[in-house]
Amino acid sequence: MTLTNTEQFSVRRSRADHSADDHSLAGVLPLPLPPGGHFIGGSFVPGSSTQLIDVVDPTTEQVIASVQAGTAADVDSAVDAAVAAQKSWGVTTPKERSEVLNLIANIIEANREAFEIIESANTGKPRTVAEDDVSSTIDTFRFMAGASRTLTSMAGGDYASGHTSVILREPVGVVGVITPWNYPLLMAAWKIAPILAAGNSIVLKPSEQTPLSTLKLAELVAGRIPDGILNVVTGQGRTVGQRLADHPDIALVALTGSVVSGQAVAETAAKSVKRVHLELGGKAPVVVFPDADLRAAAAGVRNAGFWNAGQDCGAACRVLVHESVAEEFTEHLVREVSTLVVGAPGAGNDVEIGPMISHPHFERVQESLAEAKAAGLNVAIGGSALEGPGYFIEPTVISHVPAGAPIATQEIFGPVVTVETFSSTEEAVTRANESPYGLSASVWTRDSGLSLSVPKQLDFGTVWVNSHLVLACEVPWGGFKGSGYGRDLSLYALDDYSRTKHVMINHSA
Ligand code: NAD
C-alpha cells in the first residue's frame, strides 16, 4: 500500500501551530548553559587553544553556544588530574563509591528540567525522548551504585601444594571515554557510572556536536564529588579523541560511535596495548513470522524504528517479513507511521520526531533516500526532507526492498524503515545475519519454539522477542562483529572496567 505523499504526517514547526498547553523551550529561555572551558581537576579551565566549536540547534540551525576546541595538551592536563585523583579514589570502598554515584543521581534528579531543556535544544529531540534519557541516566547511576557493592570474584583456595590463592578485583586506572551525539547525557552515564563504580577515574570527550549536557553535569557535580575523578575535555575526535587513545597513562579507552571512529581508536590504542571498549553502529533486523501479531509488530516498529528520529544504534530499521503476510504487515506499518508527529521540541507534547543532528547528517540521509528512489524502490510513505529551517526528514517506509539493497544494509541513522520478505525460517536467519553489524535484532512470533530457536541462531548481542528497544540496567548491551565489543550496563560493564589480580601465598615453609 502506498499513501500519497501529501498530508501524511502532522508537522509542527512552532507553538503557533499548536494550541495545547505543551512544553516549550520558548518559555524557559535563556538556556541554562554550563560554563565554557574544559572541566579538569574539579573546575572549569580555559583551553590551551583559542579555537572554538559552534554548537547548533538542529531545529533552527542557529548557534546556541560555543565550546573549546581542545588540544592534546588539554588532554594531557586532564590525564594528570585523573591519575592523581585515581590514587585515592581507587582505594575507596564500594560503599563509599556507591554513595558518590547516588549523589550524582540525586543531583541530576534535582536538575532534571535543566538537563531535558539542554538536551532538547542541542539535539532537537522531543521532550518525551529527553525525559526518557534523563530518567534512564538517573537509573543508570542508581543501578551502578548498588551493583558495584555486589561484585565478587572467584573464591580463593589452595590450588598448588602449600600455596593459597587470593583473587583481587582492581580498577584499571584512568579510562578515556568518547561519546556520540544521539544520546549525549545517557551515553556518558553508561560509561561514567560503571567506570567510577569500579574505582577508575575518567577523561571524557563528548561529541563536538552535543557537549552541553555533559558540561552541565560537570558544572553541577563540581565540588560535590572528589576533584579529578571526572574530567571533561571538549573537542574533535581527530585531536582530543586520538590523544585519549594514544596517551600512555590511559589504561582503557571506551568509545560509543561509528565503526570508522572505533577502528581509528583501536588502531591508535594498539600502539600502547591499551584496552579498548567499543559500542559501534547497528542495523537491527526485525524478523516477522507469519503467525506473529502483525498489528503489534507494526506498532513495535513505529516506536522502535522512529524513536529519536531513528538516530539509535538499535533502531528497528530493517524489517524481514514472511512473504505470505508482507502486504498486510506493510499496510499496518504505513498506517502506524502516518500517525507520527514531526516537529521541534517546543511545538507540542505530541511531537515524536525531531530533526537529524546536523546538516551533513541530514544530507547523508537524503542521499540514501535519493539512491533508493533512483533504484526504483517503492516508497510506501515519506521519503523526502521537509522544508527548513531545521534538518527534518519525513518518517519513511520503503517496501518490496530486494536483498542486498544499500538502504537495507547500510546504517542510515534516520527515520527510515525498509521492508524485505523471506520465504523460510532458514532464509530469514541467513538474511538477518548477512550484515556487518551485530548489535541487536528482534523476532516476532507466537510460536514458542521459534521464540527460542531463532534468537539462538541470530548473531546479535541483544535479541528481543515480540518487542524491540526495551532496555534495563540489569542486562548487558553491546554488539558482535562490526558493532564492537565490550558491554555497557549490567555487572558485565563492571567486569569490563576492572581487572583481576591473582595473589599466591606460599605458606609451606
Ligand atoms: P562518530 O563516530 O562520528 O562520533 C562518536 C565520537 O567519536 C565523537 O565524540 C567523535 O568526536 C569521536 N571521534 C570521531 N572520530 C574519531 C577518531 N578518529 N578518534 C577518536 N575519536 C573520534 O559517531 P556519532 O555520529 O557521534 O554517533 C553515531 C554513531 O554512534 C552511529 O554509528 C551509532 O550506531 C553509534 N552508536 C552506537 C551505540 C551503541 O551502543 N552501540 C550507541 C549510540 C550510538
Side-chain angles (χ1 to χ4, degrees):
M1 183 180 95
T2 308
L3 294 185
T4 58
N5 254 359
T6 52
E7 301 295 313
Q8 294 162 347
F9 329 96
S10 304
V11 179
R12 304 203 197 294
R13 309 314 296 266
S14 69
R15 269 178 79 86
D17 295 342
H18 192 243
S19 56
D21 178 20
D22 50 35
H23 294 296
S24 172
L25 288 177
V28 290
L29 290 171
L31 282 173
L33 290 172
H38 307 300
F39 184 68
I40 297 178
S43 44
F44 282 88
V45 296
S48 61
S49 151
T50 51
Q51 256 193 308
L52 296 175
I53 300 172
D54 285 341
V55 179
V56 173
D57 175 347
T59 62
T60 61
E61 305 180 31
Q62 301 294 312
V63 174
I64 53 172
S66 49
V67 296
Q68 306 272 329
T71 63
D74 298 325
V75 174
D76 293 355
S77 305
V79 173
D80 288 347
V83 167
Q86 202 274 329
K87 287 189 173 58
S88 43
W89 178 248
V91 295
T92 53
T93 62
K95 177 172 183 285
E96 287 164 333
R97 297 202 285 267
S98 127
E99 282 163 1
V100 169
L101 292 188
N102 273 320
L103 175 64
I104 297 174
N106 293 345
I107 290 170
I108 297 169
E109 191 153 44
N111 294 278
R112 63 174 304 149
E113 200 181 8
F115 282 108
E116 288 163 17
I117 290 165
I118 287 176
E119 207 72 314
S120 277
N122 197 167
T123 61
K125 62 174 71 190
R127 277 296 288 275
T128 42
V129 179
E131 281 166 18
D132 188 76
D133 288 4
V134 175
S135 296
S136 301
T137 296
I138 295 165
D139 193 44
T140 302
F141 279 103
R142 295 237 160 92
F143 171 78
M144 288 298 170
S148 59
R149 298 185 68 179
T150 70
L151 275 191
T152 53
S153 39
M154 193 181 120
D158 290 7
Y159 303 105
S161 173
H163 291 69
T164 295
S165 290
V166 178
I167 311 295
L168 302 176
R169 182 189 287 271
E170 298 182 342
V172 296
V174 178
V175 179
V177 173
I178 302 169
T179 55
W181 49 257
N182 58 344
Y183 298 102
L185 182 68
L186 183 59
M187 292 302 97
W190 281 14
K191 306 297 185 206
I192 296 170
I195 292 170
L196 290 184
N200 309 286
S201 59
I202 298 171
V203 180
L204 186 153
K205 188 200 91 62
S207 165
E208 58 278 20
Q209 297 175 81
T210 57
L212 300 181
S213 53
T214 306
L215 290 172
K216 190 73 189 171
L217 179 63
E219 177 194 2
L220 293 170
V221 301
R224 301 183 67 186
I225 67 172
D227 291 347
I229 60 169
L230 173 63
N231 305 278
V232 180
V233 178
T234 54
Q236 303 286 353
R238 63 181 175 273
T239 47
V240 176
Q242 278 298 306
R243 182 58 183 156
L244 290 174
D246 177 52
H247 199 295
D249 293 338
I250 290 186
L252 184 157
V253 62
L255 173 134
T256 299
S258 61
V259 175
V260 172
S261 305
Q263 286 167 329
V265 161
E267 202 177 324
T268 303
K271 292 182 192 127
S272 53
V273 199
K274 208 183 255 42
R275 286 196 197 192
V276 180
H277 187 284
L278 298 176
E279 295 289 355
L280 308 179
K283 184 81 184 175
V286 177
V287 183
V288 183
F289 285 97
D291 69 310
D293 180 339
L294 298 182
R295 283 176 195 276
V301 174
R302 177 196 192 278
N303 184 43
F306 295 92
W307 183 256
N308 208 34
Q311 298 170 120
D312 188 301
C313 48
C317 55
R318 181 192 172 205
V319 175
L320 281 156
V321 56
H322 191 270
E323 59 191 7
S324 65
V325 294
E327 216 52 35
E328 188 186 345
F329 170 82
T330 307
E331 277 178 25
H332 289 310
L333 180 59
V334 169
R335 197 172 309 115
E336 286 283 351
V337 172
S338 71
T339 64
L340 288 165
V341 179
V342 184
N349 287 339
D350 54 350
V351 170
E352 291 174 271
I353 304 280
M356 302 296 90
I357 188 67
S358 64
H359 193 256
H361 184 49
F362 179 57
E363 283 188 330
R364 270 196 302 274
V365 176
Q366 288 185 83
E367 276 162 25
S368 298
L369 291 172
E371 195 182 308
K373 286 183 202 166
L377 300 191
N378 182 55
V379 179
I381 187 167
S384 303
L386 292 168
E387 242 179 65
Y391 310 130
F392 294 93
I393 301 274
E394 293 177 331
T396 298
V397 175
I398 302 184
S399 63
H400 304 90
V401 174
I407 195 125
T409 52
Q410 294 164 3
E411 190 182 43
I412 307 296
F413 228 57
V416 180
V417 170
T418 57
V419 182
E420 300 163 69
T421 59
F422 65 85
S423 54
S424 67
T425 303
E426 196 190 357
E427 186 194 353
V429 169
T430 305
R431 296 262 303 283
N433 284 338
E434 268 171 7
S435 166
Y437 297 108
L439 187 58
S440 62
S442 64
V443 174
W444 296 77
T445 179
R446 286 184 271 214
D447 181 310
S448 57
L450 285 178
S451 75
L452 189 57
S453 64
V454 174
K456 282 165 74 111
Q457 297 172 71
L458 291 176
D459 217 1
F460 295 84
T462 293
V463 182
W464 293 277
V465 177
N466 297 325
S467 189
H468 199 114
L469 218 54
V470 177
L471 301 178
C473 289
E474 287 79 357
V475 285
W477 176 256
F480 301 151
K481 304 196 296 189
S483 295
Y485 42 81
R487 292 294 174 262
D488 282 332
L489 302 177
S490 79
L491 294 174
Y492 295 99
L494 291 166
D495 259 343
D496 285 354
Y497 296 121
S498 53
R499 64 185 190 187
T500 51
K501 180 183 281 175
H502 170 212
V503 177
M504 189 180 243
I505 303 157
N506 176 359
H507 48 78
S508 60

